[in-house]
Amino acid sequence: MPRPPTAITTRTWMNAHVRVLNATYEDFDLVPAARAVVLLVEDLALTLVEHSPRFVVRSQHVAIPLPRTIQLFEYVHTPPRPTIDDDTRASFAGVLARDHYRCAYCGVAGATTVDHVYPRSRGGNNSWSNLVACCLTCNNAKSDQTPEESGMPLLWVPRTPRTDRKRQHTIWRELTPHL
Ligand SMILES: [Zn+2]
């Protein structure tokens, strides 16, 4: 339930809810603040937006600003698609996030485009293994050639984002306590 931006106290912070985004920035869930804090403490998510007004959750070992929105570090599959294979369509944002916004051809940081390794104009698909983050310069230089043809070898092999079962399990436990 959306709440008015009233000041949070040590008694009320647990009543707050936190928006959870998947690693691909897609909206994933709304969870009680305590569960969001666990995800942060377990290093499974990062804070995108802090709660306003600011409130720091303190325990014996941690002091964490209460978030309003957090993002999972790893892609968590939604229930209708329990597995993801290499043929699954990858999202633009997902590919950039997977490659940490680094160009797969020259390694420069801040890549803003996604390149089809095997050109789309020649039948290349939108799978995780055929898409890489790419800077505008390299994207233009490569055009509709393969890496071999353009003389621009990939710096790494693009793969479907790996998921660590234990981490996924922990995330699911915090997101869906009723399961
Ligand atoms: Zn580049």
Side-chain angles (χ1 to χ4, degrees), residues 71-85:
Q71 182 188 19
L72 300 173
F73 278 120
E74 292 185 19
Y75 185 81
V76 173
H77 311 303
T78 44
R81 283 191 306 180
T83 58
I84 187 166
D85 60 43

Side-chain angles (χ1 to χ4, degrees), residues 103 105-108 134-135 137-138:
C103 176
Y105 298 104
C106 73
V108 72
C134 188
C135 74
T137 305
C138 287

Side-chain angles (χ1 to χ4, degrees), residues 33-131:
R35 298 194 171 275
V37 168
V38 169
L39 291 172
L40 293 173
V41 171
E42 299 257 326
D43 204 24
L44 295 167
L46 63 89
T47 297
L48 289 184
V49 182
E50 284 186 12
H51 190 277
S52 178
R54 196 165 196 267
F55 175 79
V56 178
V57 177
R58 294 178 194 283
S59 76
Q60 197 175 349
H61 302 292
V62 297
I64 290 184
L66 183 65
R68 182 177 292 285
T69 305
I70 64 173
Q71 182 188 19
L72 300 173
F73 278 120
E74 292 185 19
Y75 185 81
V76 173
H77 311 303
T78 44
R81 283 191 306 180
T83 58
I84 187 166
D85 60 43
D86 214 34
D87 292 328
T88 303
R89 284 174 64 85
S91 74
F92 182 89
V95 170
L96 288 177
R98 180 199 63 186
D99 294 345
H100 306 290
Y101 300 87
R102 196 163 283 280
C103 176
Y105 298 104
C106 73
V108 72
T112 54
T113 71
V114 168
D115 177 61
H116 288 77
V117 177
Y118 191 79
R120 183 163 54 173
S121 61
R122 291 155 63 179
N125 62 18
N126 290 327
S127 67
W128 288 103
S129 59
N130 194 48
L131 293 172

Side-chain angles (χ1 to χ4, degrees), residues 156-175:
W156 60 82
V157 178
R159 301 183 195 283
T160 302
R162 285 235 168 267
T163 52
D164 181 317
R165 280 179 173 277
K166 186 158 170 279
R167 287 164 68 88
Q168 294 262 319
H169 183 75
T170 305
I171 291 168
W172 269 117
R173 197 179 59 225
E174 296 307 325
L175 294 179

